Structure formats: C-alpha cells, structure tokens
Amino acid sequence: MKKSFFLVEDHSLMRQGVISYLCEKSNYECVGCSADTKGFLDFMAQAENSQGGSPQTKNEDSEAAKIPDVLITDLNLDGENDAGISLIRACHEKFPQIKIIVYSMYSSPSFVNSAIEAGAMGYVTKLSDESELRKAIESVMTGTLYVEPSLAKSLVSFEHSLSKFTKREISIIQLVMQKYTNPEIAEKLGLNKRTVENNISRIYTKIGLNSREELLGYWKEEEEFRRVTSKF
C-alpha cells in the first residue's frame, strides 16, 4: 500500500510541480493539497469525521478521508512568515503520527530551528534539487531528522551561537529574524515593550552588535555564520 502526503503551498505552479515529481519519482501518492493553512485543517477535519463515520461513508469517500503520512508545507502562508510554523505546531500537537517536512525559500537557520522546535522532522529549500525532497520523505518516515546538507553546517553554527542566550532572548531573536517590530514581539510573547527593548540591548551586547540591521545580517548567510562563530 502506498504511503501518502499532503502539500500546503500557495503557488499553483509549485504545487503542480512537487506533486507531479513525487508521484512519479517516489512510492507516495498525494491525498490532497491546499494553498493555505485552512485548507489543510479543513481536510483533516473531514478525514477525522470520515474515519469516525459508518463503513458505507468510508468506502464512498475513502480517498478524501485518508489522513496523510507526511505533510509538506511552505512557511510563508496566508501572507505571514510564521503561518507555516503555526501550522506545523498545530499539526504536530493534534496529529503526532504525521511526519512534517518544510519546503521553503527560507534558508536562515532561525527558520530551520523554529520549524524543528515546532515539530518538523525535515527541512528542504526550494533552491535545492528536487531529489532532496524525496530523500527528506524517506528519512522522516524512518523517524530520522533530515535537514538539507547545505543547511546543516549553518544550523550547527546557529545552535552553537544560541548557547549564550537565555530562552527568552532566543524567542526574541527568532521573531526579529522574521521581521517583527518590538511592539509586535511584545504582543506575541506577552511582554511589555520595555522588556523587549532591554532584551534586545542585551542580545546586541552579547554578540557585539549595535543595530537591528546588523542582527538580521548576523545569521543571514552560511559564510557569515562561519566568520562570526569562529570567534567563540
């Protein structure tokens, strides 16, 4: 019996390309796709209802009701950078049996780290060869974390750099990297604006930076990771 995947991707051509490639080059079938988080959550609600329904209902709508083995999702959905992270977290909490893979243009280790913390088991960029996505599926289905090799070194450097920060500072850094303003960060973390500003000042001090722009560039490229973290 074939394993299955569901794809959440807001670009129609990308959806078609990914589905065609995986259905042709792997032993996986696509049970559904959506351009946004709501489409996936609605599909899963239908799948749950079908599984809990009568045998006749299951037979008539078995394909639509099938819960996927793998969820492949972009991060930038619904016009928000963190919509994909929220989807990953919601899926992981409600359907822990589903393996989640991120397929995104974002290569920053802050995004990779956030996705993994939320529950993703795989991370592949859209600039990589299509075969990386197939490798990621094969890996996560065995219970093994898969991060695209070109990102792996940067992720290790990122995690090493993060070791000098508190948990709150890490949360703030991740939101800064996602271009949130201080008031938005305060609202998301349930803090007052002054606390956020003080934490950001401490972050600057710890890594010798002076501005938000410098912080955004600190982990932007793999070369920058190696240059900065080599000092520690």
Side-chain angles (χ1 to χ4, degrees):
M1 182 177 180
K2 279 191 173 184
K3 297 291 186 180
S4 62
F5 69 90
F6 189 103
L7 175 66
V8 182
E9 165 61 55
D10 58 356
H11 292 92
S12 60
L13 288 178
M14 182 66 72
R15 280 199 305 274
Q16 295 170 23
V18 171
I19 292 171
S20 296
Y21 174 80
L22 291 178
C23 289
E24 179 182 346
K25 300 293 184 179
S26 73
N27 193 36
Y28 284 78
E29 63 177 352
C30 179
V31 295
C33 64
S34 172
D36 52 33
T37 58
K38 183 178 183 301
F40 173 73
L41 296 175
D42 287 348
F43 177 91
M44 293 304 295
Q46 179 187 3
E48 285 189 299
N49 290 337
S50 297
Q51 286 199 344
S54 66
Q56 182 179 2
T57 302
K58 292 180 185 180
N59 290 334
E60 290 176 351
D61 202 24
S62 59
E63 185 174 354
K66 185 173 182 180
I67 293 179
D69 297 290
V70 178
L71 167 63
I72 302 171
T73 182
D74 197 354
L75 291 182
N76 191 346
L77 301 167
D78 307 327
E80 298 181 9
N81 288 341
D82 65 342
I85 298 296
S86 297
L87 175 60
I88 292 168
R89 187 174 293 109
C91 180
H92 182 62
E93 290 176 355
K94 191 166 186 180
F95 308 101
Q97 76 275 24
I98 297 178
K99 310 300 183 184
I100 306 171
I101 296 172
V102 170
Y103 191 51
S104 171
M105 285 296 296
Y106 296 127
S107 59
S108 168
S110 65
F111 282 104
V112 180
N113 191 65
S114 294
I116 292 173
E117 285 187 349
M121 289 194 65
Y123 199 106
V124 177
T125 66
K126 292 177 180 177
L127 296 178
S128 66
D129 189 84
E130 291 174 320
S131 62
E132 287 296 330
L133 193 54
R134 189 184 72 246
K135 292 175 184 177
I137 293 177
E138 294 170 350
S139 179
V140 301
M141 285 304 295
T142 66
T144 304
L145 178 71
Y146 187 91
V147 176
E148 180 186 322
S150 64
L151 301 178
K153 289 182 180 179
S154 295
L155 183 60
V156 170
S157 296
F158 177 74
E159 292 176 341
H160 170 71
S161 296
L162 288 182
S163 65
K164 62 174 62 63
F165 300 114
T166 66
K167 187 174 181 179
R168 174 178 288 177
E169 289 168 346
I170 291 172
S171 296
I172 290 174
I173 288 172
Q174 290 171 339
L175 292 175
V176 168
M177 294 295 288
Q178 295 175 47
K179 308 296 180 65
Y180 283 94
T181 64
N182 287 356
E184 290 171 337
I185 293 173
E187 182 178 354
K188 272 193 166 289
L189 299 181
L191 304 172
N192 61 57
K193 182 182 174 183
R194 182 52 127 179
T195 299
V196 171
E197 292 171 346
N198 289 339
N199 274 272
I200 290 179
S201 294
R202 283 196 293 271
I203 291 168
Y204 291 162
T205 300
K206 288 182 178 182
I207 52 182
L209 301 179
N210 299 302
S211 70
R212 203 179 201 86
E213 289 70 26
E214 289 181 1
L215 181 60
L216 287 170
Y218 182 71
W219 285 302
K220 189 174 182 181
E221 300 292 342
E222 184 174 336
E223 291 77 17
E224 188 71 4
F225 279 107
R226 288 197 292 265
R227 184 186 70 78
V228 176
T229 58
S230 65
K231 297 188 294 185
F232 300 105

